[in-house]
Amino acid sequence: SQKLAQAASQQKPTFSFEFFPPKTAQGVQNLYDRMDRMHDLGPAFIDITWGAGGRHSQLTCEMVSAAQSHYGLETCMHLTCTDMEREKVDSALRQAYKTGCTNILALRGDPPRDQEKWEAKADQFRYAKDLVKYIRQTYGDHFDIGVAGYPEGCEDQEDPDLLIDHLKEKVDAGGTFIVTQMFYNVDIFLDWVAKCRKRGITVPIIPGIMPISTHGAFLRRADWTKCDVPQFWHEALEPVKNDDAAVRDVGRDLVVEMCQKILDAGIYHLHFYTMNLAQATRMVLDDLLLTPAASGTPIDKPLPWRQSLGLN
Ligand code: FAD
């Protein structure tokens, strides 16, 4: 195992895609077609999320199996503690093991839809670190185990320093890489990475990037994760908010610029929250010259929206 951690620590830029299990059979088929196409972009791996409280959990296992064995994609399965009896966790790990999947992102999980807060029962894991420990005890080094990091706090803990202590516990329990919550302010992210390093966390940290497809979704997701949005992002997007194509163009430039800043800081792996859509992610990767089809377009070209804001 440890392939993902190694990919993320290389000096050559690499990237990965997150997908979630769709609600309908047609949605699943469409996603497989999209996965097949996105395979050609050359991701180091893809992730499949785990439905809150184990909803769609069988589908997650099936998609991991299909991606790994049929589409030949290095796959990482998310696995959560919320509403998961030990038996369900064992079954999911067994299925992942059998299909040749060697990567798990171990999470506490969102509370089930109908509950605001979740309390672990006797035969359940309470924190992600308990799940990490259990996977290590049961499977030795077979799985590369990722854990979640929060540069700007998470819903039930807003103190970033306490969260770094909890992150350290997850890594000490056997986590080999960290994937972050989405963010748009690169300075906050880089400061947080420096704090993690100072705290003795040495495993690769993979930034979670959310491309922009519509103005409404951009605002909703920023609001949902309570992440800081730099003022000039609002100033660039607000004037074009009713024109989806223009939002995608300006959004692409903003996200490309943030990714470039991350790469320039020496962090060489980018993880894209695709939201099961290909276009916005592909546009960003093309501009970063990271896809096979990218044709050498210079990414430091003057961007019209930046000029209009006096930023170039
Ligand atoms: P933990 O690290 O266990 O933390 C949960 C809470 O417990 C935090 O408030 C933490 O501060 C606190 N805590 C931890 N250790 C201690 C301790 N020793 N003492 C006291 N308090 C402690 N959710 C899903 O349902 N499915 C997914 O597929 C999914 N994928 C995700 C992918 C990424 C990259 C990220 C960032 C999040 C994802 N989530 C997913 C959401 C995640 O499950 C929630 O944010 C959840 O609330 C926290 O999960 P965690 O793994 O960070 O939990």
Side-chain angles (χ1 to χ4, degrees):
S1 82
Q2 307 260 323
K3 269 188 278 183
L4 265 54
Q6 274 163 15
S9 62
Q10 277 174 10
Q11 303 249 317
K12 182 177 155 293
T14 52
F15 53 88
S16 46
F17 301 140
E18 181 187 285
F19 299 106
F20 60 84
K23 288 201 180 80
T24 63
Q26 186 57 49
V28 173
Q29 190 49 52
N30 292 345
L31 182 57
Y32 283 150
D33 293 344
R34 203 162 295 135
M35 269 188 200
D36 203 15
R37 286 199 304 276
M38 290 180 89
H39 180 277
D40 297 339
L41 300 177
F45 65 92
I46 65 155
D47 285 35
I48 311 287
T49 66
W50 193 263
R55 276 180 321 125
H56 311 304
S57 55
Q58 192 46 40
L59 187 51
T60 297
C61 293
E62 282 167 26
M63 288 176 64
V64 166
S65 171
Q68 185 78 44
S69 14
H70 185 72
Y71 295 101
L73 288 155
E74 182 75 28
T75 306
C76 176
M77 180 175 86
H78 293 204
L79 188 60
T80 64
C81 308
T82 37
D83 264 11
M84 293 279 289
E85 294 79 28
R86 191 70 57 100
E87 207 181 291
K88 264 194 186 171
V89 169
D90 281 332
S91 159
L93 288 170
R94 245 190 334 266
Q95 291 184 62
Y97 182 88
K98 270 203 215 145
T99 60
C101 167
T102 59
N103 315 291
I104 305 286
L105 190 72
L107 301 141
R108 197 276 307 274
D110 292 321
R113 280 273 155 91
D114 52 348
Q115 294 172 27
E116 212 159 279
K117 208 166 159 40
W118 171 81
E119 300 284 346
K121 297 195 196 88
D123 65 339
Q124 295 178 337
F125 300 105
R126 182 170 182 193
Y127 297 122
K129 69 169 176 189
D130 304 323
L131 184 55
V132 174
K133 219 177 282 170
Y134 181 71
I135 300 171
R136 273 281 167 260
Q137 275 164 5
T138 318
Y139 286 90
D141 284 339
H142 175 77
F143 290 110
D144 212 351
I145 306 176
V147 293
Y150 302 86
E152 297 174 82
C154 73
E155 59 278 16
D156 52 7
Q157 185 49 262
E158 287 177 4
D159 177 350
D161 292 330
L162 197 55
L163 274 168
I164 291 179
D165 288 344
H166 296 155
L167 181 59
K168 174 87 165 62
E169 289 178 358
K170 293 193 271 193
V171 173
D172 290 346
T176 48
F177 64 99
I178 295 163
V179 184
T180 77
Q181 183 57 280
M182 59 168 276
F183 59 90
Y184 288 123
N185 186 326
V186 180
D187 293 331
I188 292 180
F189 166 70
L190 294 176
D191 282 350
W192 177 80
V193 171
K195 277 191 187 160
C196 291
R197 297 306 184 214
K198 215 169 151 203
R199 185 71 185 76
I201 296 171
T202 56
V203 298
I205 295 179
I206 298 179
I209 311 289
M210 179 71 78
I212 296 174
S213 42
T214 68
H215 191 248
F218 158 69
L219 289 182
R220 244 188 343 269
R221 286 170 194 148
D223 184 52
W224 182 58
T225 54
K226 300 197 176 60
C227 72
D228 181 69
V229 179
Q231 187 54 31
F232 75 92
W233 282 51
H234 286 305
E235 286 165 14
L237 287 163
E238 187 68 23
V240 293
K241 66 180 179 186
N242 296 321
D243 177 347
D244 282 352
V247 166
R248 267 198 302 276
D249 277 344
V250 173
R252 171 191 59 195
D253 291 342
L254 289 164
V255 175
V256 165
E257 192 175 60
M258 95 178 243
C259 290
Q260 191 60 51
K261 201 167 164 184
I262 294 169
L263 295 171
D264 289 346
I267 293 170
Y268 294 114
H269 188 95
L270 306 168
H271 184 64
F272 288 91
Y273 293 116
T274 68
M275 304 313 289
N276 288 358
L277 300 169
Q279 191 186 18
T281 299
R282 193 174 40 226
M283 283 161 69
V284 169
L285 287 171
D286 274 342
D287 269 14
L288 287 167
L289 308 185
L290 294 180
T291 56
S295 58
T297 327
I299 52 174
D300 54 355
K301 64 184 189 291
L303 306 172
W305 61 266
R306 286 192 64 98
Q307 276 168 340
S308 69
L309 293 173
L311 289 168
N312 270 324

